[in-house]
Amino acid sequence: MDIIQILTIVLIVSASALCIALIYYLNKIVKSVQSINKDMNELSANLKPLIQSATELSDHIYKITSEAKDQLRISRSILSDFRERADKLLSIENKIRSGVEDAVMPLFKNLNAVGKGVETFWRSFKNK
């Protein structure tokens, strides 16, 4: 056997060993990719309900805020109506008060003057 045949055998054995190692590591890589794929599918399956729940929560929050805005608008409208009616009542009260004061004050002044006049008359009548 000469050296070329020995080196050829060593080269064939080395190539065979490299092929076996390549097959072994490719198998490991395939298993890792399959594991990652499985994990991604599980993650995707777990995220779907979360995304659906988040979407439903967002819809509920939107409905609640819409209803709250409607209630706030109604409350403002009621408060505005109440203010308008209170202002009307206050203006009516002021008109009645000024009307009564304008009508009663001269009468009160006249009665007061008559009372003072009668008092003065009695005082001067008693002194005589």
Side-chain angles (χ1 to χ4, degrees), residues 5-128:
Q5 287 178 341
I6 295 174
L7 289 176
T8 306
I9 293 172
V10 170
L11 184 64
I12 291 173
V13 171
S14 297
S16 298
L18 283 175
C19 286
I20 292 170
L22 180 66
I23 292 170
Y24 176 75
Y25 285 112
L26 279 177
N27 188 23
K28 280 191 162 194
I29 291 172
V30 168
K31 285 181 181 179
S32 294
V33 169
Q34 287 175 347
S35 174
I36 291 172
N37 188 24
K38 180 183 171 188
D39 290 343
M40 292 299 289
N41 287 337
E42 287 178 7
L43 181 63
S44 175
N46 290 336
L47 283 178
K48 284 180 183 177
L50 177 64
I51 292 171
Q52 184 178 2
S53 296
T55 304
E56 290 175 2
L57 178 64
S58 175
D59 291 342
H60 289 304
I61 289 173
Y62 177 76
K63 288 177 185 177
I64 289 171
T65 55
S66 295
E67 290 175 4
K69 286 179 183 177
D70 291 342
Q71 292 296 327
L72 185 59
R73 186 177 36 81
I74 290 170
S75 298
R76 285 181 181 166
S77 173
I78 290 171
L79 185 60
S80 176
D81 291 345
F82 179 75
R83 285 180 183 164
E84 288 176 11
R85 290 181 188 204
D87 289 341
K88 286 180 184 178
L89 286 174
L90 288 174
S91 70
I92 290 171
E93 178 189 356
N94 287 335
K95 287 179 183 177
I96 291 173
R97 182 180 298 150
S98 65
V100 168
E101 286 176 355
D102 291 343
V104 172
M105 287 307 284
L107 178 64
F108 181 72
K109 287 181 181 178
N110 287 337
L111 287 176
N112 194 14
V114 169
K116 286 183 181 180
V118 169
E119 181 183 338
T120 305
F121 172 77
W122 279 110
R123 203 177 321 133
S124 62
F125 183 73
K126 285 183 182 180
N127 287 341
K128 285 188 180 184

